[in-house]
Amino acid sequence: MPKRKAAIAVGGVAALGAAALLLPNAMASQDNAQDQGAAAAGNARTLKTTDATTLAARLKQSLGGQFAGAYYDSAKRQLVVNAVGDGAAVARAKSAGAVVRQVENSTADLQSAAKTLRTKAAIPGTAWAVDPRTNKVIVSADSTVTGAKWDRLESTVDGLGSGTATLKKTGGTFKTFVSGGDAIFSQVQGGGVRCSLGFNVTAADGSPAFLTAGHCGVAAKEWSDSQTGQPIATVDQATFPGEGDFSLVKYDDPATEAPSEVNAGNGQVVAITQAAEATVGSTVFRMGSTTGLHDGQVTGLDATVNFQSETDPNGVDTVTGLIQTDVCAEPGDSGGSLFTQEGAAIGLTSGGSGDCTSGGETFFQPVTTALAATGATLGDGGTGAGAGDDQAGAGDQAGAGDEAGAGDQAGAGDQAGGDQIGGADDQAGAGAAQEQGTKHHHRNRQQGGTSAN
């Protein structure tokens, strides 16, 4: 049995649930349904998620300081925009088809609260993100935050006010998802490191490259596509910790074929046509080398995560500007693709808590930010865009230059359910099987494999 077919057998029936959501006919039927009719109340329209993305970007610009985030109501298929105050701009937002909700906290208020948390409560094992559904900053603490650390965090959150921030406990511990094993590999002192390839891109100098997590790029300089193979790519840029968690890794062979697509398993390949921002409430898909394909919802934006430092037992590695989701992940999934059903690149797996058995939450580096910072473009440069460029693609979504920041974008795809596609035998030799002559042909392939945790 071919290895990729074996992966489906191992994954079981539940694995096929998430994969079925990506089938072209499923996509077409959903789009047709979303295109029909308008909402019963007011001028609110039923929108495809791609159209909601474009609308959110425009409304952020027109509302200016009155804009306080937005989210996608997947049940009603409507874009909900938070606004502070009323006036002509709000009236225009309503007439444009959005549901406008009056809220207390402006974007500036929420950003100020996050700044206070960063100053007073950057404790390992904590995280916070803006949740436009509640118009608050949601603060999370993992199982390691106890005693004096918990008291300090609780006091800081209480000082922000109950109307501004909410504190919750989360299971497990926040950690980056890098591990020894398979997918993309590097041999470093003390053993091997495994991460996942995120998206193929074209570097600013025209050379083929890919994006992965920044903590992977910091951990090792050279990467291979098989556990015992020679390096095929070298880290060009890496950011971690700080304002992001992303790496640009260039293929050593300039003739490498690096198509802009994600191998989602079950014989499905998702063409990646553009980069897009995330929106709270939208469904996204994650592909990783350890756990395969999983889907879930975006739950927060502009997230800050305080990881325990790997080099200093008393230190903290703080990363800002991330996407928070309820999608599961495990060690080895770091750097893997977060994308939409329509083929928009959304994020790169950074870290989180829990696993794909008990559940958890995972944080992702926004792809738009990584492209802007590295000067790279998606795929061969003919689709998608880097810094400041509009991006064409499925559903005529706004590109990186048009799209607004945290809390205002609608993602793509909002179905529920599904599980992983993964198998213990699927990874070995995957890269070698795709070689063509002297060229490497690399998809964004994170098939399931055995995790060496």
Side-chain angles (χ1 to χ4, degrees), residues 100-355:
V100 178
R101 187 177 67 150
Q102 301 294 325
V103 296
E104 293 294 325
N105 297 317
S106 67
T107 298
D109 292 333
L110 298 176
Q111 290 175 340
S112 177
K115 184 177 180 180
T116 298
L117 288 164
R118 176 72 184 273
T119 301
K120 297 183 177 182
I123 301 166
T126 62
W128 49 84
V130 174
D131 180 8
R133 293 174 298 187
T134 61
N135 188 228
K136 295 180 181 181
V137 175
I138 307 300
V139 184
S140 303
D142 71 17
S143 59
T144 67
V145 183
T146 59
K149 292 180 180 179
W150 172 262
D151 293 341
R152 174 181 158 196
L153 179 63
E154 187 175 40
S155 175
T156 303
V157 172
D158 288 345
L160 297 173
S162 60
T164 303
T166 300
L167 176 61
K168 68 173 186 176
K169 271 281 192 180
T170 186
T173 60
F174 290 129
K175 57 186 179 296
T176 55
F177 291 129
V178 61
S179 179
D182 53 7
I184 57 172
F185 310 81
S186 188
Q187 298 301 316
V188 296
Q189 185 175 5
V193 177
R194 181 187 82 234
C195 285
S196 297
L197 188 152
F199 298 98
N200 282 321
V201 296
T202 299
D205 63 2
S207 60
F210 63 84
L211 294 175
T212 189
H215 62 268
C216 297
V218 170
K221 186 72 172 177
E222 296 181 322
W223 292 86
S224 173
D225 58 356
S226 65
Q227 192 164 10
T228 58
Q230 294 298 309
I232 63 165
T234 303
V235 174
D236 181 72
Q237 303 177 44
T239 297
F240 179 87
E243 297 181 358
D245 185 3
F246 57 89
S247 294
L248 177 69
V249 187
K250 291 184 178 180
Y251 291 109
D252 297 332
D253 182 356
T256 298
E257 297 178 16
S260 188
E261 58 189 32
V262 171
N263 185 338
N266 196 25
Q268 297 185 82
V269 175
V270 179
I272 300 299
T273 57
Q274 62 179 328
E277 302 287 349
T279 283
V280 168
S282 64
T283 287
V284 285
F285 295 83
R286 177 195 60 75
M287 196 67 187
S289 69
T290 301
T291 57
L293 181 68
H294 284 266
D295 69 312
Q297 285 199 342
V298 176
T299 59
L301 298 172
D302 198 17
T304 295
V305 186
N306 298 294
F307 297 110
Q308 174 66 57
S309 173
E310 295 290 335
T311 57
D312 180 2
N314 298 314
V316 57
D317 288 336
T318 299
V319 184
T320 62
L322 302 181
I323 301 164
Q324 184 173 348
T325 76
D326 61 8
V327 186
C328 71
E330 296 183 8
D333 288 331
S334 280
S337 319
L338 185 73
F339 59 99
T340 70
Q341 184 185 34
E342 288 85 350
I346 300 294
L348 306 165
T349 307
S350 175
S353 65
D355 53 41

Side-chain angles (χ1 to χ4, degrees), residues 29-87:
S29 64
Q30 183 203 34
D31 286 347
N32 291 337
Q34 288 174 324
D35 282 331
Q36 297 173 1
N43 294 315
R45 293 188 291 130
T46 300
L47 297 169
K48 294 186 294 183
T49 51
T50 49
D51 293 335
T53 299
T54 304
L55 179 59
R58 292 173 179 171
L59 293 182
K60 181 182 180 180
Q61 292 180 342
S62 65
L63 286 169
Q66 289 183 273
F67 183 85
Y71 64 95
Y72 185 64
D73 185 332
S74 59
K76 296 181 179 179
R77 306 200 184 284
Q78 294 174 345
L79 177 70
V80 181
V81 174
N82 294 335
V84 178
D86 212 330

